[in-house]
């Protein structure tokens, strides 16, 4: 896992935001965004724009839990990638 991050110069403890469902392991990541450059790993369900619905985690946690996320580690600021299911395009 760390090699995917290291290959792109991303430290595994880089701050990222995850929705509560992803944080708790209840849902997979289906949306990755870089809003204002910040990494966000979201389940794809609608969430209020309220910090109470998100947690801060090192980027190594969501990527380590789902190595298919390494495919989108080249996103630039203000870009996003969405999929319908884990392993999907």
């Amino acid at each position: 896992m760390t090699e995917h991050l290291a290959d792109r110069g991303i430290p595994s403890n880089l701050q990222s935001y995850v929705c509560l469902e992803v944080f708790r392991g209840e849902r997979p990541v289906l949306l990755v965004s870089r809003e204002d450059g910040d990494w966000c790993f979201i389940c794809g369900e609608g969430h209020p724009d309220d910090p109470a619905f998100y947690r801060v985690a090192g980027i190594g946690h969501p990527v380590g839990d789902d190595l298919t996320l390494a495919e989108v580690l080249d996103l630039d600021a203000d870009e996003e990638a969405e999929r319908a299911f884990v392993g999907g395009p």
Side-chain angles (χ1 to χ4, degrees):
M1 173 275 302
T2 55
E3 65 273 2
H4 297 295
L5 297 168
D7 289 347
R8 291 170 174 82
I10 302 171
S12 64
N13 65 346
L14 179 70
Q15 177 177 296
S16 70
Y17 299 94
V18 296
C19 67
L20 284 176
E21 291 83 1
V22 169
F23 185 79
R24 294 178 184 149
E26 298 169 353
R27 292 190 179 149
V29 174
L30 298 180
L31 174 65
V32 178
S33 72
R34 299 276 325 270
E35 186 173 337
D36 297 324
D38 292 326
W39 286 96
C40 300
F41 297 89
I42 312 296
C43 67
E45 297 295 320
H47 296 297
D49 189 17
D50 180 340
F53 289 86
Y54 301 89
R55 295 293 181 264
V56 175
I59 194 171
H61 290 287
V63 175
D65 290 343
D66 179 357
L67 293 178
T68 65
L69 294 174
E71 296 177 25
V72 297
L73 290 177
D74 59 350
L75 289 176
D76 289 324
D78 298 315
E79 288 187 328
E80 64 181 34
E82 187 173 17
R83 61 188 179 179
F85 55 90
V86 173

